[in-house]
Amino acid sequence: MIYLDNNATTRPCPGAIAAAHFAMEEAWQNPSSTHRPGQQTRAKIEMARRSIAELVGCLPREVLFTSSGTEAIHLAIRGVLGARPRTDPPPLVVSSPVEHSAVRELLPELEARGEARARWLKVDGAGRLSLDSLAEAIAEKPAIVSLQWANNETGVIQPIHEAARLCAAAGVVLHCDGVQWVGKEETRLSADGPAAPLLTLSPHKFHGLKGVGCLVIRPGVRLRPQMPGHQELGRRAGTENVPGILAAGAAADEARTWLSDPSFRAQQGVLRDRFENAIVAGCPGAVVNGAGAPRLWNTSNIGFPRLEAEAILLALSERGVCASAGAACASGSLDPSPVLRAMGIAPEVAHGSVRFSLSRQTTREEIDRAVEIAIRCVNSLRASTSAAIDPGS
Ligand code: PLP
């Protein structure tokens, strides 16, 4: 198997597996129990919290564990709205049309419940946010702005530092969805990082386990818990997912080690470019969605005009290459990705767009083999499609 679907999830790293194993064998007691083993389990959770804090450059007490990135996003947006007095009209929530569905589908739900009004910002052809449209929206004093740091489908990086400055100057809370950024790129909230009062991250995107997410809450943010109770300093109830949390801490430590040497990242970026250039050269008409904008080193979203992404994915999968069409949660649907639609990508390209996403574990041999397979799949699908359109040719 050549796994190029790392934006969907990553393979747990050895430290994460060992930590989860330890939690199941040794630290399985309830961390809220007052007896010694319970308190030892609590101490392990606090070590994991410190590891996450070190990964993003904040204080451990600012890190809150949830069940997923999605839950952290809901807590950020719903929590900020819930901490305000109810108003008529309801408060404004600003976001962009290229967000992950966790945000994109939450806002219409809040509108339907009369809890918020949504405003969607403009993006350009690469899916980069228009700062002018953000400045205009901020002038309307929204309750919260929610923007991703990097896009899950294209890897395009948003001007989050500028957005954070605009929000901070106007006293508007910014939630940054850092799920695809954190663990792949360096994050230093306390030093030169974006002044986002709320940051979401998800350890299964950097070789931790699924079933745990984090919300970083900087000082001064008022948040109403969505699950009241005593855990997580009263901000999120529910007995902790100890294996997931300990694995998250170990994954954060390994990610930090990897990130500390920029040459590792550069090396993987070279692999992504090698892959992308070879595919474009070998598949006439192929286009890279989001090219030209700054992008994560690991993501390549390639459109193969007049082909169906599902057919390409099946052909790749049969030959051992795992990729996906847009967001993993949209796989199986024939609707073109809303992200590509918001970028104004032509429907015949959007329908045939495939996301390949590397990890720090991807090797050059895998990339070269994947290139060979992908070119063969695309060109044979193309040949059969043109034969079907023009049986006489
Ligand atoms: N935000 C982005 C940008 C994502 O890519 C994802 C998952 O793909 C999420 C949020 C949701 O995270 P989780 O899978 O932990 O719920």
Side-chain angles (χ1 to χ4, degrees), residues 7-8 67-71 73 100 102 148 150-152 177 179-180 200-202 204-205 212-213 329:
N7 285 7
S67 67
S68 60
T70 300
E71 189 201 323
I73 288 170
H100 185 267
Q148 62 191 191
N151 187 270
N152 45 304
D177 171 359
V179 166
Q180 291 294 345
T200 288
L201 62 108
S202 184
H204 78 94
K205 307 293 185 180
V212 63
C329 19

Side-chain angles (χ1 to χ4, degrees), residues 301-315:
N301 189 309
I302 308 186
F304 302 97
R306 289 172 293 284
L307 290 183
E308 283 297 335
E310 294 297 317
I312 304 172
L313 291 177
L314 271 177

Side-chain angles (χ1 to χ4, degrees), residues 55-239:
L55 179 66
V56 300
C58 70
L59 295 175
R61 66 167 178 272
E62 295 168 357
V63 176
L64 180 149
F65 289 112
T66 64
S67 67
S68 60
T70 300
E71 189 201 323
I73 288 170
H74 279 237
L75 175 56
I77 297 177
R78 294 190 126 125
V80 164
L81 293 177
R84 296 164 55 100
R86 276 186 168 264
T87 53
D88 188 16
L92 192 63
V93 178
V94 171
S95 193
S96 90
V98 295
E99 299 301 309
H100 185 267
S101 54
V103 175
R104 236 181 29 239
E105 291 175 18
L106 171 61
L107 268 48
E109 170 66 14
L110 294 174
E111 284 195 302
R113 290 165 176 252
E115 293 172 20
R117 285 171 297 136
R119 172 141 172 196
W120 302 99
L121 301 174
K122 291 191 190 120
V123 295
D124 66 15
R128 286 259 292 179
L129 172 73
S130 149
L131 289 169
D132 286 345
S133 98
L134 175 62
E136 266 172 39
I138 285 176
E140 290 179 40
K141 291 274 170 228
I144 183 166
V145 172
S146 183
L147 296 172
Q148 62 191 191
W149 201 331
N151 187 270
N152 45 304
E153 296 188 31
T154 59
V156 167
I157 297 168
Q158 294 294 358
I160 202 76
H161 292 76
E162 293 83 340
R165 271 194 289 275
L166 285 174
C167 289
V172 170
V173 177
L174 171 65
H175 163 249
C176 172
D177 171 359
V179 166
Q180 291 294 345
W181 175 278
V182 174
K184 291 190 191 106
E185 303 275 1
E186 212 171 345
T187 312
R188 288 199 305 237
L189 291 184
S190 304
D192 51 1
L198 293 165
L199 172 77
T200 288
L201 62 108
S202 184
H204 78 94
K205 307 293 185 180
F206 55 88
H207 306 282
L209 301 187
K210 288 160 277 296
V212 63
C214 303
L215 180 63
V216 176
I217 308 170
R218 309 308 308 274
V221 184
R222 292 187 54 228
L223 210 68
R224 188 186 176 97
Q226 300 302 293
M227 298 186 209
H230 73 269
Q231 287 94 350
E232 294 298 295
L233 301 175
R235 297 174 298 186
R236 194 268 182 189
T239 303

